[in-house]
Amino acid sequence: METAELLFQILCLGIGATLMMDMWLLLLKRLNLPSLNFALLGRWVGWMFRGKFWHQSIAQSPAIRQEYALGWLAHYSVGILFAFSFILMVGEAWLLQPQFTSAFIFGVITVLIPFFIMQPAMGSGIASAKTAQPLHNCLRSLVNHAIFGCGLYLSALLLALFY
């Protein structure tokens, strides 16, 4: 497969998987269940550009201009980066014959990034340990990332229809 075609497919894979996760988050919101706040992700990323990586509480840190848009941009960028990493691991042949198990396991494994990097840096502790409901928050993150893995698989199936 040509490099440009492969990169395009990875881009579509990352966007599709992230979109699948977003549809899940939208469903949670419609059911009046707590969901992710991408403004806080944008605030965290925005503060990184100013040299601050760790916060006592990202919710209490001063707002950053355009943090909501920055959060969404970061969210989709990470999804694309995850898709790129996944294809690097499994090989581009996976795109021709997607396997659910590898995509699902990868999605579940990606939860390690928020558990050990994002949540501690935002002031929630490792695996949300400093929150009121750490187990609940961890399970919610795990489900979100498992759905991302399902999105990788479904996006690849959709892409296979065109290639």
Side-chain angles (χ1 to χ4, degrees), residues 11-162:
L11 177 73
C12 291
L13 195 66
I15 290 170
T18 306
L19 189 59
M20 176 92 170
M21 182 185 200
D22 290 341
M23 288 188 293
W24 167 250
L25 296 173
L26 182 61
L27 175 64
L28 292 179
K29 189 174 181 177
R30 300 268 171 162
L31 296 172
N32 291 320
L33 296 170
S35 188
L36 299 176
N37 182 347
F38 292 111
L40 296 178
L41 174 61
R43 184 176 300 173
W44 181 54
V45 171
W47 276 106
M48 278 190 229
F49 288 123
R50 297 178 183 185
K52 183 170 179 154
F53 296 86
W54 296 91
H55 300 262
Q56 286 293 104
S57 167
I58 194 64
Q60 301 300 317
S61 294
I64 297 288
R65 197 168 78 87
Q66 300 293 322
E67 63 185 27
Y68 191 69
L70 184 57
W72 277 97
L73 178 65
H75 174 58
Y76 274 84
S77 296
V78 168
I80 293 165
L81 183 62
F82 280 167
F84 184 79
S85 301
F86 177 65
I87 297 302
L88 276 178
M89 290 172 53
V90 298
E92 67 183 72
W94 183 89
L95 289 165
L96 300 173
Q97 293 183 323
Q99 304 285 316
F100 174 77
T101 305
S102 55
F104 183 78
I105 290 170
F106 181 81
V108 169
I109 289 171
T110 62
V111 81
L112 297 174
I113 301 296
F115 281 2
F116 294 104
I117 296 173
M118 293 175 67
Q119 291 168 2
M122 293 176 151
S124 297
I126 292 174
S128 295
K130 293 182 180 178
T131 65
Q133 298 178 307
L135 180 59
H136 177 77
N137 292 331
C138 285
L139 289 174
R140 190 170 358 142
S141 291
L142 185 62
V143 169
N144 292 346
H145 284 258
I147 287 175
F148 177 84
C150 293
L152 285 172
Y153 175 71
L154 293 174
S155 297
L157 288 180
L158 186 61
L159 275 172
L161 295 174
F162 298 100

